[in-house]
Amino acid sequence: MEYVEPTGSLSLLWLLIALPLAGAAVLLLAGRFANAWGHLLGCATVGIAFVLGVVQFFALRGADDGAREVSQHLFTFIDVGGLKVDAGLLYDPLSAVFVLLITGVGFLIHVYSIGYMSHDEGRRRFFGFLNLFVAAMLLLVLGNSFVALYVGWEGVGLASYLLIAFWYTRPEAATAAKKAFIMNRVGDVGLALGIFLLFAKLGDTSFEGVFSSVDKLSSTTVTILALLLLLGACGKSGQFPLQAWLPDAMAGPTPVSALIHAATMVTAGVYLIARAHPIYDLSETGQTVVCVIGALTLLIGCIIGCAKDDIKKVLAYSTVSQIGYMFLAVGLGGEAYALGIIHLLAHGFFKAGLFLGAGSVMHGMNDQVDIRRFGGLAKYMPITATTFGLGFLAIIGIPPLSGFFSKDPIIEHAFDRPGWSGWLFGTVALVGAGLTAFYMTRLFVLTFLGKPRWTTDEEGGAPHPHESPLSMTVPMILLAIGSVAGGFLLTQGDRTSNWLHPVLVGEGAEAPEAAHKLEPVVISGLVILVVLIGVALAFLIFRRGTARAEQPANQLVVAARRNLYADAFNEAVFMRPGQWLTRALVYVDSRGVDGLVNGLSAAVGGGSGRLRRLQTGFVRSYALTMLGGAVVVLASLLVVRLG
């Protein structure tokens, strides 16, 4: 791997991270002095970082094909024994597109938050946490080693905990934040063990050092590495079996949901596998497991999404399924790595737009989230309905919107996988497209079409739906434009695939031509057919609304409403045994360790108290004691001599 020394604007890579990090520091340390202008500072830092990212992107694009990898050394981070880790940045085509996504979509979410959080007393603190989130994510994608990536990885985890629990006085928000924090730590253990294994086997954790010598490792070690990194990716991206935290994270403010689901946290797992592709390329087992996890999570997200009535949770499970498509793509390897990244970029536009649209609906409906009590909102919120509708059409893959260009190629490559697994993964991806169309149509129809089913004053207050202010609608409009045109612009002329080719496939390397089981035109036709069936079914069933309370249902629907019993499984297998173990340890500690110490102290204290009573102050008592002692001594001597 040949790096180019940073010059010009590329010498300011560190500023991409420093700007939002400095904004977070000022907002969190300035206290109430920043209440009046803190939100503007928060937006400005990310906005400037986006402009800088654009300038640096074009600087990289203007470089020669073989000179599009820039390394910048900052300082020595760890120098202990045989371990030396330099803090440095890597800017290449992969990290460049992530920088644009994080700062661009992140900036729009910041602007939206000005209106959404305008009445919140903690707005300055909120923008401080948002800035911290963006800085940590930028460090994650710009770090030049697994250790630097891990620092950003944990920073994102901390920031997400703070943001999900932003309304910490609400029990559901505090619980959701703890759940997200703990489940992410489970995944982080896998990533940490993978980094330890890399150092133990290779003595290096830098991308350059690891990727240049990973082929010297045994196939078993490489597979273990791939699985450990995958465990970390599953935790951060909400993939099976660590997906349960992601829908609960909806308890945080809606802009947080948009930022986590669209531009930052959940994309980290996809980035990790794509960045570590030299490891996965050497492990067929690792790639297969990634595909299985992606396909399984895709189906889980789609099935549960069909049964949810909370507008944000439907979108959350749609994220779970769409990230499943991305995992499936990066698990397929080769040219499909780029397809996963393209779907990630397109998804960033329409998912951010959908979440911001959901926040706009909640803004006009007194923070209600039950789609069974919406209906007819298109008449009262036309901009929200239009932008949300474009995002809806983009995610289900209606031509010529983004999902059509980014998701269909993944399905094609899934079918192209050799052997029976191609049929299996391709069919799952195809079924997922139909289910996505069904639950997203259900969401749109119940929210914006039909007759109003709003709550009344007797049921807790009648809402007065209205369009959101410009600070909220403008970001939604811009994201809707991205939802419409993003997929075409990203795939036209294979521009994004060609851009990422040197990083994900190799400079000058030719990817093998796929042997199609089904021609691409046939697969596109099948995808459109299942999508139209899903749309038609949902429209026919829900066009007149739905029951306002949960109705009796078959076992599959009940299971979907209960998240396919994932929470029950986690409670039965992990939480309850953990509680029992904790109680047992507390018992042993209180009755065993503490009991022994407390018993000894009580014995010493009691004995000393009784001895103290002998100190009466009367001489005759002391003389009698001395006489008694002398008799005991004499008796002892006689016993010894006579014995």
Side-chain angles (χ1 to χ4, degrees):
M1 190 178 294
E2 296 292 335
Y3 293 125
V4 177
E5 287 299 319
T7 57
S9 64
L10 295 176
S11 64
L12 301 176
L13 291 174
W14 60 273
L15 207 54
L16 288 170
I17 304 168
L19 280 168
L21 188 62
V26 171
L27 292 172
L28 297 176
L29 295 176
R32 296 180 179 177
F33 294 107
N35 277 348
W37 46 266
H39 55 289
L40 300 177
L41 176 66
C43 292
T45 54
V46 180
I48 296 172
F50 172 66
V51 173
L52 183 59
V54 172
V55 173
Q56 291 168 339
F57 174 81
F58 281 105
L60 190 70
R61 190 170 179 270
D64 297 333
D65 290 345
R68 286 178 177 166
E69 292 176 330
V70 178
S71 179
Q72 184 176 29
H73 177 266
L74 299 178
F75 55 88
T76 299
F77 181 46
I78 299 174
D79 190 1
V80 180
L83 175 62
K84 184 178 181 182
V85 178
D86 291 327
L89 304 177
L90 170 64
Y91 191 69
D92 63 2
L94 180 61
S95 54
V97 295
F98 269 88
V99 166
L100 293 180
L101 175 71
I102 296 165
T103 55
V105 176
F107 173 68
L108 293 177
I109 294 172
H110 272 68
V111 173
Y112 176 92
S113 301
I114 294 176
Y116 191 84
M117 302 294 289
S118 60
H119 302 298
D120 197 295
E121 294 180 354
R123 184 172 63 169
R124 168 192 51 78
R125 182 166 52 88
F126 178 77
F127 275 89
F129 293 158
L130 283 184
N131 270 203
L132 181 62
F133 203 134
V134 172
M137 192 65 198
L138 287 169
L139 174 61
L140 192 156
V141 300
L142 284 170
N144 67 348
S145 68
F146 282 97
V147 173
L149 179 147
Y150 190 78
V151 174
W153 194 273
E154 292 302 324
V156 169
L158 170 65
S160 67
Y161 171 78
L162 296 172
L163 284 168
I164 295 170
F166 179 73
W167 289 322
Y168 56 85
T169 55
R170 302 178 182 178
E172 67 273 18
T175 302
K178 286 188 286 186
K179 187 175 182 179
F181 192 81
I182 292 170
M183 294 195 78
N184 269 274
R185 297 293 78 71
V186 174
D188 293 355
V189 169
L191 177 56
L193 291 176
I195 296 173
F196 293 153
L197 185 59
L198 282 173
F199 177 71
K201 294 294 183 181
L202 301 176
D204 200 346
T205 60
S206 69
F207 293 147
E208 180 181 10
V210 169
F211 298 153
S212 62
S213 53
V214 67
D215 56 347
K216 300 173 184 174
L217 299 176
S218 67
S219 59
T220 304
T221 302
V222 173
T223 298
I224 293 173
L225 269 173
L227 297 180
L228 288 173
L229 297 182
L230 175 62
L231 178 60
C234 287
K236 201 62 78 182
S237 291
Q239 296 291 286
F240 179 81
L242 300 175
Q243 80 280 6
W245 69 268
L246 195 55
D248 286 8
M250 298 301 99
T254 301
V256 174
S257 307
L259 195 61
I260 288 177
H261 286 246
T264 54
M265 191 165 173
V266 297
T267 64
V270 183
Y271 171 80
L272 174 62
I273 295 176
R275 175 61 76 190
H277 72 91
I279 295 174
Y280 287 93
D281 288 342
L282 294 175
S283 172
E284 186 176 347
T285 302
Q287 287 186 321
T288 301
V289 175
V290 174
C291 287
V292 170
I293 292 293
L296 194 57
T297 311
L298 192 163
L299 276 185
I300 290 174
C302 289
I303 292 171
I304 300 178
C306 293
K308 289 296 177 184
D309 299 314
D310 183 320
I311 185 172
K312 289 176 67 177
K313 288 196 174 181
V314 176
L315 294 178
Y317 277 107
S318 78
T319 299
V320 171
S321 64
Q322 296 305 309
I323 301 291
Y325 275 109
M326 298 172 206
F327 266 62
L328 178 59
V330 294
L332 294 171
E335 291 289 304
Y337 282 121
L339 298 178
I341 300 301
I342 291 171
H343 191 52
L344 186 153
L345 298 173
H347 177 264
F349 286 108
F350 54 70
K351 185 49 61 68
L354 288 169
F355 266 112
L356 297 190
S360 181
V361 170
M362 293 167 58
H363 184 76
M365 295 293 286
N366 297 345
D367 286 332
Q368 294 182 44
V369 294
D370 191 341
I371 57 177
R372 294 172 300 185
R373 304 311 304 266
F374 293 164
L377 291 180
K379 177 181 177 182
Y380 302 88
M381 310 175 73
I383 299 177
T384 299
T386 303
T387 55
F388 194 97
L390 292 172
F392 149 65
L393 294 175
I395 195 173
I396 67 175
I398 292 293
L401 280 76
S402 289
F404 173 75
F405 293 101
S406 64
K407 188 165 60 180
D408 283 19
I410 295 177
I411 300 174
E412 292 171 12
H413 275 72
F415 274 110
D416 288 345
R417 197 171 199 268
W420 60 269
S421 63
W423 290 107
L424 176 65
F425 293 135
T427 303
V428 168
L430 185 63
V431 171
L435 291 174
T436 302
F438 177 83
Y439 71 74
M440 286 303 298
T441 304
R442 172 178 178 265
L443 174 65
F444 184 80
V445 169
L446 290 179
T447 302
F448 294 103
L449 305 182
K451 295 181 180 178
R453 303 177 300 278
W454 309 337
T455 54
T456 61
D457 288 328
E458 291 75 21
E459 293 174 316
H464 301 283
H466 56 277
E467 193 53 271
S468 299
L470 279 177
S471 60
M472 294 170 64
T473 54
V474 170
M476 289 158 52
I477 292 170
L478 294 176
L479 288 169
I481 295 172
S483 302
V484 173
F488 175 78
L489 295 176
L490 288 169
T491 56
Q492 180 64 17
D494 291 332
R495 62 180 60 177
T496 307
S497 295
N498 293 336
W499 172 257
L500 295 172
H501 188 92
V503 179
L504 301 179
V505 179
E507 189 70 41
E510 293 292 336
E513 189 172 347
H516 299 306
K517 289 189 177 70
L518 295 174
E519 290 300 317
V521 65
V522 175
I523 294 176
S524 292
L526 288 173
V527 173
I528 292 175
L529 177 63
V530 298
V531 166
L532 292 178
I533 291 173
V535 170
L537 280 176
F539 183 79
L540 291 173
I541 295 173
F542 299 106
R543 69 186 188 283
R544 294 192 176 91
T546 186
R548 298 180 180 182
E550 195 168 283
Q551 301 296 307
N554 58 43
Q555 292 299 319
L556 178 60
V557 175
V558 171
R561 288 173 181 168
R562 297 179 183 175
N563 302 331
L564 297 182
Y565 302 108
D567 289 331
F569 177 83
N570 289 333
E571 288 182 11
V573 176
F574 300 110
M575 195 187 84
R576 298 299 177 195
Q579 286 181 330
W580 294 335
L581 178 62
T582 302
R583 288 171 184 165
L585 293 175
V586 169
Y587 181 84
V588 170
D589 181 58
S590 59
R591 300 298 179 87
V593 179
D594 287 354
L596 178 63
V597 174
N598 293 337
L600 286 173
S601 65
V604 172
S608 63
R610 286 176 174 77
L611 290 173
R612 188 180 60 201
R613 293 173 187 171
L614 298 175
Q615 304 300 317
T616 61
F618 295 110
V619 174
R620 58 180 181 275
S621 298
Y622 298 151
L624 181 61
T625 303
M626 293 172 64
L627 176 61
V631 169
V632 170
V633 170
L634 285 173
S636 301
L637 289 173
L638 286 174
V639 169
V640 171
R641 285 182 177 277
L642 293 177

